[in-house]
Amino acid sequence: MAFKKIGPQVWINLLFILFCLSCIFPLFAILSVSFSNETDIIQNGYRLFPAMFDFSAYAYILYKPLQILNAFKVSIFVSFFGTLVSLLITAGIAYPLAREDFKLKNKLSFYVFFTMLFNGGLVPTYMLINNYLHLSNTIWVLILPYLAVPWFILILRSFMQKIPHSIIESCMMDGASEFRIFFQIILPLAKPGLATVALFMLLQYWNDWWLSLLYIEKESLVPLQFMLYRMMNNISFLTNSSNMMPPGMKNVVLPSESARMAMAIVAAGPMLLVFPFFQKYFVRGLTVGAVKG
Amino acid sequence: MFRKMKWSKALIVAAALVLLAACSTPPSEKPSEASNKPTPEASQNSDADLPEVKLTWYFPGSFPQADQELVFAEVNKKLKEKINATVDFKPLGFGEYDQKMQVVIASGAPYDIAFTSNWINIYSQNVAKGAFLPLDDLLAQYAPKSFAAVPQSFWDAARVKGKIYGFVNEQIAARTPAVVVSKEEAEKYKLDIPAISGKLTPDTLPLLEPYLQNVRKDFPQKGFVTSLVQLDGLFFNLEPIAGIQIPGAVDFSDPTLKVVNQYETEGVKKYAALMREWNAKGYLNSSERISKKADDGTEVKAGKVAVGIGGSYKPGGEVELSAEVGYERLQLPSGTAHLTTGGIIATMQAINRNSKNPERALMLLELINTDKEIYNLLNFGIQDKHFKLDADGFMVKEGDASQAYNPNVPWMFATNFLAYVEKGKSKTVWEETKQVNKDAAPSQLLGFTFDAEPVKAEIGKVSALFDEYSRAIDLGVSTEAKYNEFLAKQKVAGSDKIIAEMQKQIDAWKAAK
């Protein structure tokens, strides 16, 4: 018996070790390149371990730290403040949708769901935000559009539906107001769900460069991911389309390979630290939401 | 239940209708045609009477620059004095400019000026969308000096269906790929410059072989680097209609303007065969280069290039080429320079159809194209802070402080010929460039722009084929059978249809002329 079980065990473990490696490897490679010497990279190509440790890439991107620090500040504010407000609003919508005794439940659910399939499209959205709401070049334009994401609302609704209705009823009998039930009973009970959704939101805010590409023209409001996106995109444009351009762009100094990777590490770093913090709830939240999904 | 269903269906239909309605009214239709016509009295007013305006100008470059706000403020001070206008500068990086402009244009935003070209914020597409204002009447009235300074053939190149929609910035418009070698090596290993300069064709390319062999005796790691994309059609004496990637080109010397598939011409076939031969002899470093989709300049920096062909030959170009690598390099024109529509419309400013002050926008362009001080301020930054003029009047950019403003796009702001000459270049570099432009053989297709819309799907397919096969052809790692397979697949993907469409448009254009 015991012998029989070892075979599949080995295979499963092996499979997951390989899978794990294929996830870690690229990250490790980026880390290694960011610590490499630029001439080493050009002459010998990428290596898994740097031939020689060299911190010049980090020195280069942190040489004028003001810009990058400011981008950090914007990113952090947007991510945390945005997640907090968004969580409150999402929970606020999800809760009534999960209540069995709410009459408009189905219609409202459909309304939320409908926006997942149909939306105004890029240009009308841009016109609304830019021409009518005049939100361009404000910090709020990075936060407001993601405040109520239908997908997160639906995940949280399914999670809240798991909370037995009798709990709410007994609270009502004890004379608790709706607000008290929501803040003191439902939210604590929904913690795993909230944590999962909060992590999604945090990642969404942190990784977003699209909103800043569209609406931000002021340097002081550029978040970290957009800085990175812009840098990478400029490089790829200059290397791919330079033959079409008027001659003379060639001597533009592009950030070195290692500086780009260092930048990627700097941008990804904080999220790597945040993830384990949420992980406790993460698995539970995901599966619980999925059963009823 | 039934009632509920109906409800939601009605909602969907209603929402769909709203969406359709929103899509079917392009914002560019809103402004009346009346705004296109300049008010005649405006030009008769003296400058002092001009009401103050704020213009918005979108343009690409190596942005953001650390000190850009400082420089723009300085420029605005001068503009306020001279034409009572200030500009809301919207500098964008190359990587974001295209995407951003598409949204800005589609939303009908009332910006005034935007940079446009055949390689970014594509001119022909924007004109087709009706995004830009025709400038024919306005140019002579509000920008008479620049209109007269730019050769008539340049304005003709910018014409779409007979109208000018772009304000051409003069630069090196005559193009031929440059042959680039190290100066020291060229002397030591006896590069036969008179035999090569301006005379390279697919037939004479083997003339480079003795030199390559000599260099490789001492530096076996150094090779030959070029690609179809870098050679463009020009090297093969062809003018590609929609880029070298897309089948369809006209021979410069063919007066009948017959469109052929460049990959079926003898020239390109000879090039492919020679690359196979050179790869077999080990000249191409192909095993290393194949790991990348395109040569991005790292080969040169790693010291692995003996001869490179690419980019564009221009007077004074060796200064930039040398600065790139840190040792002296030489550039030779590979062939006869040709003046093509693409070379001319590569640098233009366009005025928004929705602009509220098109005549003021043109006055601004006129000023920047004639006022050396303002142009160079935009171009190099503040004098004695971001650049210095030495005793001989050459422009010097030295030190870290000077890098705080260095967008590196002189041809973008206005005519390149106003720029202070960089130290190291010849004092008369702009006169030389003008001469190259003048001497270049003008293409017979000058003024023709291809509308790719009817064969969009086919173009997508053949350009995917180019991505698949071209690298192997350039590195000589493919076989002749593979090359024929490439041709056969192009046929299946619709290359004949593309070529027929090009021919049709060219014939119609020729007839209209």
Side-chain angles (χ1 to χ4, degrees), chain A residues 198-232:
Chain A
L199 182 68
F200 284 155
M201 286 169 177
L202 197 62
L203 284 177
Q204 182 177 31
Y205 277 117
W206 184 264
N207 287 334
D208 182 73
W209 45 262
W210 176 241
L211 290 176
S212 23
L213 171 72
L214 286 179
Y215 304 114
I216 297 294
E217 279 153 1
K218 240 170 46 195
E219 263 328 287
S220 58
L221 290 175
V222 166
L224 201 56
Q225 295 294 339
F226 182 50
M227 240 173 102
L228 187 67
Y229 168 84
R230 198 162 61 180
M231 189 172 81
M232 294 296 185

Side-chain angles (χ1 to χ4, degrees), chain B residues 118 153-154 157 173-175 232 234 238-240 252 337-346 440-448:
Chain B
N118 58 339
S153 58
F154 281 40
R175 303 285 173 90
D232 204 50
L234 299 162
L238 294 170
E239 179 172 8
F252 280 118
H338 284 281
L339 199 59
T340 62
T341 307
I344 294 167
I345 69 167
S443 150
Q444 301 170 72
L445 283 173
L446 218 53
F448 171 76

Side-chain angles (χ1 to χ4, degrees), chain B residues 54-58 86-90 110-114:
Chain B
K54 189 166 181 135
L55 302 165
T56 311
W57 184 4
Y58 282 96
T86 50
V87 176
D88 187 2
F89 292 96
K90 305 264 194 191
Y111 71 93
D112 298 286
I113 310 174

Side-chain angles (χ1 to χ4, degrees), chain B residues 178-341:
Chain B
V179 182
V180 183
V181 291
S182 146
K183 191 176 178 192
E184 193 192 330
E185 283 170 18
E187 280 160 15
K188 191 169 162 199
Y189 301 104
K190 311 219 163 35
L191 180 67
D192 191 357
I193 294 171
I196 288 163
S197 178
K199 289 178 189 143
L200 278 187
T201 65
D203 290 311
T204 58
L205 205 51
L207 284 177
L208 288 172
E209 194 169 347
Y211 174 72
L212 263 174
Q213 277 171 337
N214 283 341
V215 176
R216 285 175 59 83
K217 243 178 249 161
D218 289 345
F219 301 100
Q221 76 278 19
K222 294 202 173 192
F224 174 77
V225 173
T226 193
S227 65
L228 283 166
V229 170
Q230 291 294 340
L231 294 172
D232 204 50
L234 299 162
F235 184 77
F236 305 101
N237 202 38
L238 294 170
E239 179 172 8
I241 307 296
I244 185 79
Q245 292 89 340
I246 315 299
V250 171
D251 196 303
F252 280 118
S253 47
D254 177 11
T256 61
L257 301 181
K258 186 173 164 11
V259 184
V260 293
N261 182 347
Q262 60 267 40
Y263 298 103
E264 286 171 4
T265 59
E266 278 312 303
V268 178
K269 279 186 177 169
K270 262 186 199 148
Y271 161 76
L274 187 67
M275 287 305 110
R276 284 197 292 273
E277 189 192 321
W278 282 10
N279 178 46
K281 291 180 181 166
Y283 296 168
L284 302 184
N285 287 338
S286 44
S287 52
E288 274 177 45
R289 284 167 65 205
I290 201 146
S291 63
K292 281 190 187 147
K293 255 190 83 185
D295 305 310
D296 52 10
T298 47
E299 292 83 4
V300 186
K301 287 185 189 141
K304 288 180 179 172
V305 180
V307 183
I309 303 183
S312 213
Y313 171 80
K314 64 166 185 176
E318 56 275 349
V319 176
E320 286 150 29
L321 288 167
S322 305
E324 191 187 351
V325 288
Y327 55 82
E328 275 197 82
R329 291 207 283 175
L330 279 183
Q331 57 152 8
L332 314 167
S334 64
T336 328
H338 284 281
L339 199 59
T340 62
T341 307

